[in-house]
């Protein structure tokens, strides 16, 4: 299987979504104090970066 630029960006997008969801879940279910808000904020940041990776597919 040959991986070109678009497949690499697609894999990176899915990995970032999974990591973002896991960070939001950690913030929601594991940590009940201020650290939970930090985990959730970083998870949302991962979603933003995944959105950029998805927008770059086909343009790079």
């Amino acid at each position: 299987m040959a991986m070109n630029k678009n497949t690499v960006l697609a894999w990176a997008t899915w990995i970032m979504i999974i990591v973002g969801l896991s960070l939001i879940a950690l913030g929601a279910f594991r940590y009940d104090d201020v650290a939970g808000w930090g985990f959730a904020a970083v998870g949302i940041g991962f979603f933003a970066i995944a959105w950029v990776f998805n927008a770059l597919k086909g343009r790079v």
Side-chain angles (χ1 to χ4, degrees):
M1 178 176 109
M3 290 184 61
N4 57 8
K5 295 176 287 190
N6 290 329
T7 55
V8 169
L9 283 172
W11 276 103
T13 300
W14 281 110
I15 291 170
M16 296 286 281
I17 288 172
I18 291 168
V19 171
L21 283 174
S22 64
L23 284 171
I24 290 172
L26 271 175
F29 300 119
R30 175 72 170 97
Y31 297 103
D32 292 333
D33 52 352
V34 179
W37 289 100
F39 274 98
V42 171
I44 292 170
F46 268 80
F47 278 159
I49 296 169
W51 181 30
V52 170
F53 282 169
N54 192 25
L56 285 175
K57 282 194 307 190
R59 289 180 165 77
V60 176

